[in-house]
Amino acid sequence: MEMDTGDTTDVIVVGCGIIGASVAWQLARRGAVVRCLDPHPGDGSTYAAAGMLAAVTETTFGEHELMRLNLEAAAMWPDFATQLEAETGQPCGLRRTGTLTLAFDGDDRQQLRRLHQLHVEWGLDAREITTDAARQMEPTLGPRLAAAIWAPGDHQVDPRSAQKALLTALMARKVDIIERAVERVLPGTAVTGPSRPGVVDTNGQVHRADLVVVAAGWNSRLLAPGCPTRPVKGQVARLDARAVPTFQLTRVVRGLVQDRPVYLVPRADGEIVVGGTSEEQPDNRQVTAGGAFALLRDARALVPGIDELPVTELTARARPGSPDNLPLIGDAGPPGIVLATGHYRNGVLLAPLTAAAVAARWADGKLPDSVSAAHPARFHPTHDHEHFAVP
Ligand SMILES: Cc1cc2nc3c(=O)[nH]c(=O)nc-3n(C[C@H](O)[C@H](O)[C@H](O)COP(=O)(O)OP(=O)(O)OC[C@H]3O[C@@H](n4cnc5c(N)ncnc54)[C@H](O)[C@@H]3O)c2cc1C
């Protein structure tokens, strides 16, 4: 039986990963009464993420709009982190390290230079440096390098630290976090009373609010059927550089090794995140022998010294992919349902921008123009509400 809590919540946020938690925090800062539902807050894609704020180095052909969003989000991160750290006393792990991108062989160099040319044409802050100059920056780089690009503005945060700080901030601001999954989203037909939008949780409890924000990662498609998210599996390894005092890596190192992308993200505490595979596979959370082997093989081609580091963790999670790699931020069709999902490779980077946009949607009644390229209506140009109808 479905029981209605009849509460006075302003906004329900479904999913409390880095996107849902950031959205809930910004809403609460603007005075909204917020309730989050998530059976395992922070245990989705956010748990695996390397945390690169790679607005420049992630930019690729055909993604000009995404680049614009990413650059705007990257510029927001320092204030976002400062405010979160000030509210909670907990670190987000923001490190202003810049990013080196390396080519392993001649073919990789050709590809890297082609991409770099695009970055130059689009006015991004990246420049080719000699491999000797790269080695001076990072002495542990391997002997076989064909080219190096330096992107001084591509930094990193630690997603697990940021997520922890966000949950602390939510609790301090009296955001109700209910550790239950949402089974159904109920579109609203009125702005007050029992016809407001809402959700039904796994206990059959109905929660109602003025606005329901669906931020359930790739699972969002199961809650709002017109939402075209899909799981894109990624595997990562975590190494512990503290175990080998002579090993040093300061900057984010990305690379192409015989056409395969790989990255190493060094945290301040000595953890090195090596990632990440990108597989059109379901979210089965299984690390495969082949996936782990390929990651470590390619990472050691660029930084051979990782050979001696203990492997502390192997993790697999699924990114919330979207058909055009842009996120989905905005009204989903049925009244009172807003999507904040589909952030694919850049959800950590895009969290402050998404949160600010959804908070503005609640407080001002409309989304900022800056995120219009991410509006879900691009997949349903006729605004066909039937298409979004929840079963
Ligand atoms: C290997 C890997 C490396 C990555 N590296 C980076 C990076 O360097 N930089 C970057 O910016 N991004 C990176 N990403 C992408 C980034 O992790 C995601 O884009 C981001 O975490 C998406 O956040 P989210 O909150 O939307 O989704 P998630 O973190 O997946 O959170 C979704 C939440 O919804 C909850 N949920 C699901 N179903 C329901 C339901 N029915 N009811 C209630 N709650 C539900 C889940 O429990 C989960 O907590 C990486 C991803 C992977 C996999």
Side-chain angles (χ1 to χ4, degrees):
M1 195 182 68
E2 294 178 359
M3 299 164 299
D4 197 326
T5 53
D7 52 50
T8 53
T9 309
D10 292 319
V11 186
I12 290 166
V13 180
V14 183
C16 201
I18 193 109
I19 296 296
S22 300
V23 164
W25 181 50
Q26 289 304 314
L27 283 163
R29 281 172 66 89
R30 294 191 74 159
V33 177
V34 184
R35 173 169 296 174
C36 297
L37 287 103
D38 189 323
H40 307 291
D43 191 37
S45 186
T46 303
Y47 188 70
M52 293 175 289
L53 306 179
V56 172
T57 40
E58 276 287 326
T59 292
T60 189
F61 295 91
E63 294 188 351
H64 195 270
E65 280 302 331
L66 181 60
M67 175 200 76
R68 217 181 36 70
L69 294 178
N70 284 346
L71 285 172
E72 193 171 334
M76 294 171 83
W77 252 106
D79 280 352
F80 188 83
T82 302
Q83 283 163 7
L84 188 53
E85 290 178 356
E87 263 191 37
T88 61
Q90 291 175 5
C92 294
L94 176 64
R95 293 188 83 194
R96 292 175 170 82
T97 58
T99 296
L100 268 175
T101 308
L102 309 170
F104 179 70
D105 67 16
D107 280 355
D108 296 327
R109 177 175 53 215
Q110 210 168 329
Q111 268 201 62
L112 193 62
R113 284 189 174 153
R114 209 169 150 189
L115 193 60
H116 178 58
Q117 187 54 37
L118 178 81
H119 293 171
V120 171
E121 280 165 23
W122 286 358
L124 296 175
D125 186 10
R127 54 185 170 274
E128 182 162 1
I129 58 174
T130 63
T131 51
D132 281 350
R135 269 197 203 87
Q136 273 165 22
M137 294 166 102
E138 293 294 348
T140 49
L141 296 183
R144 183 165 172 194
L145 294 179
I149 308 283
W150 171 232
D154 273 8
H155 302 313
Q156 56 152 307
V157 293
D158 180 346
R160 291 182 183 176
S161 300
Q163 172 79 22
K164 202 168 151 209
L166 282 164
L167 292 179
T168 302
L170 295 187
M171 282 186 269
R173 287 187 174 271
K174 307 271 183 279
V175 171
D176 196 9
I177 303 173
I178 299 179
E179 295 199 359
R180 254 178 258 154
V182 164
E183 273 186 347
R184 272 191 303 145
V185 173
L186 308 168
T189 52
V191 285
T192 56
S195 299
R196 291 198 300 164
V199 301
V200 184
D201 71 23
T202 41
N203 280 6
Q205 194 168 352
V206 177
H207 309 256
R208 299 225 177 245
D210 298 343
L211 212 62
V212 172
V213 180
V214 180
W218 72 265
N219 268 292
S220 301
R221 75 162 187 217
L222 306 176
L223 298 167
C227 169
T229 44
R230 72 180 194 286
V232 182
K233 183 175 167 183
Q235 305 187 40
V236 281
R238 285 177 155 76
L239 315 178
D240 185 3
R242 282 171 307 188
V244 181
T246 50
F247 180 88
Q248 284 217 335
L249 193 68
T250 309
R251 295 161 186 83
V252 174
V253 171
R254 301 171 61 119
L256 268 182
V257 179
Q258 295 177 326
D259 197 30
R260 294 176 302 269
V262 68
Y263 53 76
L264 300 97
V265 181
R267 306 261 188 253
D269 65 1
E271 181 179 74
I272 313 264
V273 182
V274 178
T277 68
S278 191
E279 307 160 52
E280 294 292 341
Q281 295 284 350
D283 188 8
N284 60 17
R285 301 197 168 189
Q286 286 166 4
V287 175
T288 59
F293 168 73
L295 279 180
L296 295 173
R297 177 197 59 207
D298 294 341
R300 83 190 275 266
L302 301 178
V303 184
I306 65 163
D307 263 8
E308 291 174 39
L309 306 186
V311 177
T312 52
E313 193 186 301
L314 296 168
T315 313
R317 292 289 187 277
R319 306 167 183 87
S322 80
D324 57 6
N325 300 343
L326 279 165
L328 294 127
I329 306 168
D331 290 63
I337 312 296
V338 167
L339 298 182
T341 186
H343 294 77
Y344 192 32
R345 309 185 307 258
N346 297 298
V348 178
L349 168 58
L350 289 165
L353 179 72
T354 307
V358 176
R361 162 68 184 81
W362 175 76
D364 312 331
K366 64 183 183 65
L367 288 158
D369 290 342
S370 57
V371 295
S372 56
H375 202 286
R378 70 189 185 277
F379 296 114
H380 306 279
T382 55
H383 294 266
D384 177 1
H385 287 198
E386 278 295 299
H387 201 91
F388 286 99
V390 176

